[in-house]
Amino acid sequence: MALYGKMMDRPLLVSAILEHGADQFGQQEIVSRETHGPLHRITFAEVAQRSKKLANALAKLGLKPGSVVGSIAWNNARHVELYYGVSGSGLVMHTCNPRLHPEQLAYIINHAEDEVVFFDSTFAPLIKAIASHCSKVKHWICLSDQANTPQVDGVVIQNYEDFIAPHSAVFAWPELDEKSGAALCYTSGTTGNPKGVLYSHRAITLSALSACLPNVLTISSQETVLPVVPMFHINAWCLPYACVIAGAKLVLPGPKLDGASLYELMEAEKVTISAGVPTIWMGLIAHCEQHNLRFSTMRRTGVGGSAMPKALIAKFNDVYKVDVHHGWGMTETTAIATMSNISNHEMDWPVEEQHNLVAKQGKSVFGVELKIVDEEGNTLPRDGSTQGELMVRGQWIVEHYHKAEKTALVNGWFPTGDIATISPDGVMQIRDRTKDVIKSGGEWISSIDLENATIAHPHVAMAAVIGVKHPKWDERPLLLIVPKPEKSLEKQEVMDFLAERVAKWWVPDEVIFVESLPVGGTGKVQKNDLRVKYGSIFTE
Ligand code: ADP
């Protein structure tokens, strides 16, 4: 028989994160840009009190353990109170992506069986559109005070402040099983209906602890962290938990995610670390370039969700003196699963090579294992060049989708749908998603590599590459470019530029200049929309 350790068996719980933050860093601030009014300031201690008032208010509604509470909200202080008050009291916090199509939004609210939905006033029109289709929702509560709560025809709307006001700030958090569900998030559903991932308290706590590590985001009580990554998607990479664990000041941008608003907030609140998707950083850098601005305090940015182009990494590093931590993760991995880093033996590498390294998605964080496999499931070599489907396993990786009968795993590993290489020393690089890779004449062309090469052109603001049906080659790449304001570009110039940087047969067959690209709710270019629009241009 195994000789067991004689240690306490205390559960890892979301409520314990809040209690720790309130006890140890009670005066630390959360600064939040609300939908209405000036910047709102609140301390960890006050958030703990208000979360307990919320827990009491929810208990009064008669919700049972495991009941689901939805949110349709920006990154703001009341949303943080929901994170803790809902999960802490044994209910499940279902964060909904407001940019889903209303039909899909109603689908996930019904599938999850949300009984209460909290929403920011911005989304009142959405509530009007979906309320009559969400029969299980008994309470719609606007994250606001009475004065700023809109009327919605045919829907009874309460306001958050009046909802929690009558209740006590004393609440005994239940001692839950750490494996119970704490939060629920659905995939974006680019193919088929969205699938729910139900995160346990244990998964969230471990993932949040991991986010604090120096090789991940280096979060400590010396830092001021601005998560641009939305709290409605993948738990904002667990930053609202990690900052409370570490005692870091948390700055929340609310609905204003444009370059000018982010820059102003970063400077005003002395932000040191930020996190978001590349499209957000493109907007921020464009604003800084236009007005010749530099950051006074920002020194590190976490980026992921889609590939960060090397040209942007170089700009952040060399011009703006901001270190880029480029990571990879997905709804199914709770938060960050890999992160790029420069190790001590790489510190004296030429800058260009360091940027190449950071442009890869990096090494897995402790607790996450990676491998790549071929179509038969055979493990492929970690040689940095063989490509295969990325498989992942670990303590905070999904096993079953919510309410699914069948496991999501193949032989104990989760198939990510991403195509990657892994180097002998464990550095993973995403080459494409299985559905985006371009199959041309039996060979693969990486849309990500082509986009990265294009974005290096000084007149290109954004680029997207899709595979388009071709009578001879099966598929050929089509390149769409948004030029920078007041910059002109010729098709041939782009082709010549690319011919110097990628294999000749990779050079796209067509280049189309557009004013904008369709960007989805999580800041990614919606390639499905582009495929619908341009999918037959080589066969027409
Ligand atoms: P969806 O994009 O379908 O909404 P997620 O938000 O969960 O789903 O995104 C996960 C996917 O995003 C990954 O499977 C991967 O394709 C992509 N992704 C995440 N981070 C990166 C990165 N750093 N580089 C390239 N692709 C990334």
Side-chain angles (χ1 to χ4, degrees):
M1 210 180 83
L3 180 61
Y4 286 106
K6 303 283 187 207
M7 311 308 283
M8 291 186 196
D9 186 13
R10 303 277 300 144
L12 299 168
L13 296 179
V14 165
S15 55
I17 297 177
L18 182 64
E19 287 304 316
H20 169 77
D23 279 355
Q24 307 304 315
F25 306 101
Q27 293 317 302
Q28 187 56 281
E29 272 187 320
I30 297 181
V31 180
S32 154
R33 188 172 259 154
E34 298 299 316
T35 314
H36 301 280
L39 280 186
H40 175 65
R41 288 174 191 279
I42 188 165
T43 64
F44 285 8
E46 289 165 333
V47 166
Q49 290 204 333
R50 284 169 56 88
S51 301
K52 289 178 191 169
K53 280 162 110 35
L54 170 65
N56 277 317
L58 289 166
K60 192 87 191 293
L61 297 181
L63 301 181
K64 307 233 163 26
S67 288
V68 183
V69 173
S71 68
I72 309 178
W74 301 111
N75 290 11
N76 58 38
R78 291 187 184 101
H79 207 175
V80 175
E81 292 166 14
L82 288 178
Y83 263 42
Y84 287 103
V86 172
S87 306
S89 55
L91 307 170
V92 173
M93 178 76 259
H94 172 204
T95 54
C96 303
N97 183 343
R99 297 188 189 119
L100 284 179
H101 188 279
E103 254 173 44
Q104 283 195 329
L105 196 56
Y107 169 85
I108 65 170
I109 288 174
N110 288 330
H111 188 267
E113 301 182 51
D114 293 5
E115 294 181 43
V116 184
V117 172
F118 292 88
F119 64 96
D120 274 323
S121 58
T122 319
F123 305 117
L126 210 48
I127 303 306
K128 186 171 164 41
I130 62 170
S132 63
H133 304 288
C134 302
S135 54
K136 292 225 165 73
V137 179
K138 295 185 213 91
H139 306 273
W140 299 92
I141 304 176
C142 182
L143 290 164
S144 187
D145 54 14
Q146 172 68 42
N148 292 303
T149 294
Q151 305 258 335
V152 177
D153 282 353
V155 189
V156 177
I157 307 281
Q158 304 173 59
N159 79 80
Y160 182 83
E161 291 303 325
D162 287 352
F163 179 66
I164 66 168
H167 296 281
S168 161
V170 179
F171 183 86
W173 300 116
E175 281 238 343
L176 306 164
D177 179 338
E178 65 179 17
K179 295 199 188 91
S180 48
L184 175 63
C185 179
Y186 282 73
T187 59
S188 306
T190 32
T191 49
N193 271 329
K195 292 183 284 239
V197 180
L198 182 58
Y199 309 103
S200 62
H201 286 258
R202 173 185 162 82
I204 286 177
T205 309
L206 292 173
S207 182
L209 275 169
S210 153
C212 299
L213 289 172
N215 267 359
V216 186
L217 285 173
T218 321
I219 301 175
S220 74
S221 55
Q222 296 181 359
E223 307 292 350
T224 297
V225 182
L226 189 160
V228 184
V229 41
M231 288 174 68
F232 58 70
H233 197 57
I234 328 182
N235 312 301
W237 300 352
C238 281
L239 289 172
Y241 307 109
C243 289
V244 176
I245 289 176
K249 176 175 162 184
L250 191 55
V251 180
L252 301 169
K256 291 195 163 176
L257 306 177
D258 60 287
S261 305
L262 288 177
Y263 181 82
E264 185 197 311
L265 193 57
M266 285 169 171
E267 289 296 299
E269 293 303 323
K270 300 192 169 50
V271 168
T272 56
I273 301 177
S274 192
V277 295
T279 40
I280 289 287
W281 301 143
M282 286 175 194
L284 180 66
I285 291 296
H287 173 75
C288 292
E289 281 180 341
Q290 224 174 351
H291 298 89
N292 197 20
L293 302 168
R294 294 290 183 275
F295 300 106
S296 322
T297 51
M298 248 267 284
R299 55 175 182 269
R300 194 170 311 120
T301 179
V303 56
S306 47
M308 178 74 160
K310 184 181 153 195
L312 201 56
I313 294 170
K315 206 167 270 175
F316 260 115
N317 257 285
D318 306 344
V319 181
Y320 293 95
K321 310 296 171 206
V322 174
D323 272 349
V324 176
H325 287 218
H326 182 197
W328 168 88
M330 55 198 310
T331 309
E332 290 86 341
T333 67
T334 308
I336 301 162
T338 75
M339 192 56 94
S340 67
N341 270 290
I342 309 280
S343 296
N344 47 7
H345 63 278
E346 294 147 355
M347 301 275 277
D348 52 5
W349 280 14
V351 172
E352 169 94 13
E353 279 191 42
Q354 289 184 344
H355 293 163
N356 283 336
L357 188 58
V358 176
K360 296 176 183 169
Q361 284 71 10
K363 292 172 187 274
S364 65
V365 300
F366 175 72
V368 173
E369 295 170 75
L370 303 176
K371 68 173 181 178
I372 48 172
V373 298
D374 65 16
E375 279 171 12
E376 278 80 49
N378 303 307
T379 302
L380 293 167
R382 288 160 51 124
D383 58 11
S385 60
T386 306
Q387 299 186 25
E389 183 175 12
L390 183 65
M391 310 287 282
V392 58
R393 74 176 177 191
Q395 283 111 4
W396 54 89
I397 310 297
V398 72
E399 185 181 86
H400 278 75
Y401 286 106
H402 188 40
K403 295 185 175 171
E405 277 173 20
K406 277 198 347 221
T407 175
L409 310 187
V410 177
N411 298 326
W413 292 74
F414 176 73
T416 65
D418 285 336
I419 295 165
T421 55
I422 304 178
S423 73
D425 61 349
V427 175
M428 187 274 286
Q429 181 175 15
I430 299 283
R431 305 308 302 257
D432 228 323
R433 301 189 92 162
T434 36
K435 60 183 192 293
D436 292 340
V437 72
I438 300 152
K439 289 145 196 136
S440 176
E443 301 282 345
W444 285 0
I445 299 175
S446 156
S447 65
I448 295 184
D449 286 359
L450 270 178
E451 287 157 8
N452 278 347
T454 311
I455 208 90
H457 191 289
H459 293 183
V460 173
M462 276 178 93
V465 174
I466 55 166
V468 171
K469 275 255 152 304
H470 190 279
K472 180 165 176 205
W473 299 109
D474 189 16
E475 280 183 350
R476 287 296 298 157
L478 164 71
L479 169 59
L480 294 122
I481 290 181
V482 182
K484 283 194 176 158
E486 289 149 36
K487 301 281 184 204
S488 67
L489 257 175
E490 293 297 328
K491 178 170 144 184
Q492 196 53 49
E493 186 186 344
V494 175
M495 301 269 204
D496 294 345
F497 183 80
L498 290 177
E500 285 172 23
R501 287 164 175 79
V502 299
K504 257 213 171 65
W505 61 278
W506 278 38
V507 175
D509 287 30
E510 186 59 83
V511 181
I512 298 180
F513 297 100
V514 288
E515 272 178 23
S516 63
L517 289 167
V519 175
T522 53
K524 301 179 201 196
V525 172
Q526 298 299 88
K527 291 197 177 177
N528 266 2
D529 294 358
L530 296 175
R531 281 189 276 262
V532 170
K533 186 156 180 198
Y534 300 102
S536 52
I537 64 163
F538 298 145
T539 45
E540 269 166 354

